[in-house]
Amino acid sequence: MKVLVIGSGGREHALVWALSQDPDVAQVVAAPGNPGIAALRPAYDGQTIVCRSVDISDHAAVVALASESGTDLVVVGPEVPLVAGLADPLRAAGIAVFGPSKEAARLEGSKAYAKDVMAAASVPTGRAYVCKTLEQAAEAIDAFGPPYVVKDDALAAGKGVVVTSDRDEALAHAAECGQVLIEEFLDGPEVSLFAITDGTTVLPMQPAQDFKRLGDNDEGPNTGGMGAYTPLPWAPDKLVEEITEKVLQPTVDEMRRRGTPFSGLLYAGLALTSRGVRVIEFNCRFGDPETQALLPLLKTPLGGVLYAAATGKLADAEPLAWKNGSAVAVVVAAKKYPAKPRSGDPIAGIDQAEAGNVRVFHAGTSQDGDELVTAGGRVLAVSATGKDLDEARQRAYAGVGQIRIKGSQHRTDIALKAARGEIVL
């Protein structure tokens, strides 16, 4: 099988790496890819991994690349091209695509639309007001009281949400958005659960937890994600079954009932509140950085299951199999991220970091001649596996310690509370 992966970030690096571990995958083309992908070594004789330059907003160019490459499966990584409808012309050209249609991707593209779907499917979620004016937002903020949860209705690269007890800050964020959602605050730990689906069958992955705030102890501004770990030793035994039954399957069924079946990766961001599971948001693609923690533990070959989802044959697939142990991914971010991340700083130490069970996934890097330099806010994700969270953390942070980027920043507490057994439901 020949696979084309669309995107250039850490998630796409992890996807290409995982696909390269599948003996049934003969070729992986990443478009446009990144230096980390370009440096990957094929896992099997005869397998090739290449990067191809393409403007992923040019749908015709992507279709042409997929056609000329003899692609059997296209995996669209980022949310922006999915919400823009990239999957539709690819399917129209007869190419199997892992990723939802433009209509189905509205689950991530519009939080108001996602709330409407959840209401129709009786999916548990927080109460919310959809506001189009600042006056409406102010009324909703006062109706809920602090802490205030203010969400940009549209895509915002993981940085469109403000949770604050400062009313002025909440209103200022609402003023910066177009349509905005004001939601009730949901207590309890957060969980990310990904599900592979063909629009009918739902195949859940194991749960993960990511860390959105920039600083330790969940302080500082929201980011695209500063780290993740899996599995969750504190999670209830039947958590995945409960979420599949109450959230994932009803949502997939409702999307199909509307005539806009969701095929691809359905990502449920959840809060385990004192009143039970509640959906915070849906995304329409693999999450970043959870993917960089999940895929190193996935035992099931990735290519086959993604192809089964893309061709409507997921009912024939076995439940996903996982390796024993834990995985932790720690993001190394550029100076001044997330406000104004600095680019062009040299990156060193990756080879030293990738010792033992450690893999460094590139997220915001580029080549400046022979030198690897920063080219984005979240630069790298250092991912490690171990027999438990404590060992995986030690290995991941040992890897982070080898990375040298001037002014870089990272959290020091990824998975720390879970490893210490401090998260109790």
Side-chain angles (χ1 to χ4, degrees):
M1 178 164 55
K2 294 182 179 180
V3 185
L4 171 62
V5 176
I6 302 299
S8 60
R11 162 187 46 228
E12 289 75 42
H13 188 174
L15 286 167
V16 173
W17 172 80
L19 288 164
S20 77
Q21 308 305 301
D22 187 335
D24 291 330
V25 173
Q27 181 185 70
V28 187
V29 176
N34 63 40
I37 295 173
L40 279 174
R41 297 175 181 174
Y44 299 95
D45 290 340
Q47 187 184 64
T48 58
I49 303 170
V50 296
C51 293
R52 293 287 298 274
S53 178
V54 70
D55 179 358
I56 63 176
S57 67
D58 185 340
H59 294 182
V62 174
V63 172
L65 174 60
S67 298
E68 72 185 40
S69 302
T71 298
D72 299 296
L73 172 68
V74 176
V75 179
V76 184
E79 64 272 22
V80 172
L82 286 168
V83 172
L86 176 57
D88 297 329
L90 286 163
R91 287 197 177 97
I95 301 167
V97 183
F98 184 79
S101 66
K102 182 176 183 177
E103 277 297 308
R106 289 180 67 198
L107 270 180
E108 179 168 2
S110 169
K111 294 178 179 63
Y113 175 76
K115 288 288 187 182
D116 182 66
V117 170
M118 284 187 272
S122 299
V123 170
T125 187
R127 293 178 296 124
Y129 293 102
V130 179
C131 304
K132 297 183 179 181
T133 68
L134 190 58
E135 290 73 21
Q136 291 175 342
E139 290 180 9
I141 283 171
D142 291 336
F144 279 127
Y148 310 107
V149 181
V150 185
K151 296 183 178 180
D152 192 334
D153 181 52
L155 294 179
K159 298 184 282 289
V161 180
V162 164
V163 180
T164 179
S165 294
D166 185 328
R167 186 177 183 275
D168 291 339
E169 182 183 0
L171 282 173
H173 183 62
E176 294 173 355
C177 305
Q179 184 164 277
V180 67
L181 272 71
I182 310 298
E183 297 191 3
E184 68 170 320
F185 176 76
L186 298 175
D187 63 338
E190 295 186 11
V191 173
S192 300
L193 187 63
F194 300 170
I196 296 167
T197 178
D198 59 4
T200 301
T201 301
V202 171
L203 200 62
M205 303 185 82
Q206 69 181 26
Q209 186 177 63
D210 77 332
F211 294 73
K212 291 295 187 187
R213 297 282 188 170
L214 179 66
D216 287 357
N217 301 312
D218 292 326
E219 296 180 354
N222 267 338
T223 71
M226 294 299 293
Y229 70 94
T230 187
L232 312 181
W234 47 268
D237 290 340
K238 299 294 184 180
L239 180 64
V240 172
E241 290 88 339
E242 179 186 358
I243 295 169
T244 302
E245 178 184 346
K246 294 183 178 180
V247 174
L248 300 172
Q249 191 68 59
T251 300
V252 168
D253 291 345
E254 173 62 18
M255 294 296 287
R256 188 176 65 255
R257 187 194 67 77
R258 292 177 176 223
T260 55
F262 188 103
S263 173
L265 196 289
L266 180 59
Y267 167 150
L270 308 131
L272 305 190
T273 77
S274 55
R275 294 171 293 144
V277 172
R278 296 290 185 272
V279 176
I280 300 170
E281 65 177 359
F282 282 127
N283 292 327
C284 65
R285 39 67 194 184
F286 282 98
D288 184 340
E290 297 100 322
T291 302
Q292 293 93 306
L294 281 162
L295 292 184
L297 288 181
L298 181 63
K299 186 182 294 185
T300 301
L302 185 63
V305 72
L306 298 188
Y307 186 76
T311 55
K313 298 178 180 178
L314 202 58
D316 299 331
E318 296 290 330
L320 296 175
W322 298 90
K323 301 171 186 175
N324 294 327
S326 299
V328 173
V330 179
V331 168
V332 178
K335 185 175 183 178
K336 296 186 178 180
Y337 174 77
K340 294 181 179 179
R342 194 169 70 184
S343 295
D345 287 318
I347 303 169
I350 290 180
D351 289 343
Q352 294 91 326
E354 288 193 317
N357 295 328
V358 177
R359 180 158 294 277
V360 178
F361 295 111
H362 293 225
T365 69
S366 66
Q367 287 291 146
D368 183 6
D370 293 332
E371 191 169 49
L372 185 70
V373 298
T374 60
R378 292 185 297 167
V379 181
L380 304 167
V382 181
S383 180
T385 58
K387 67 179 183 296
D388 54 26
L389 278 179
D390 189 55
E391 184 174 72
R393 286 191 80 254
Q394 290 181 28
R395 290 172 173 173
Y397 279 105
V400 170
Q402 296 293 329
I403 303 295
R404 300 185 298 281
I405 304 171
K406 186 176 181 180
S408 67
Q409 49 188 327
H410 66 272
R411 286 184 61 155
T412 66
D413 63 346
I414 303 301
L416 179 59
K417 289 183 179 179
R420 289 177 172 174
E422 295 177 5
I423 301 178
V424 180
L425 291 179

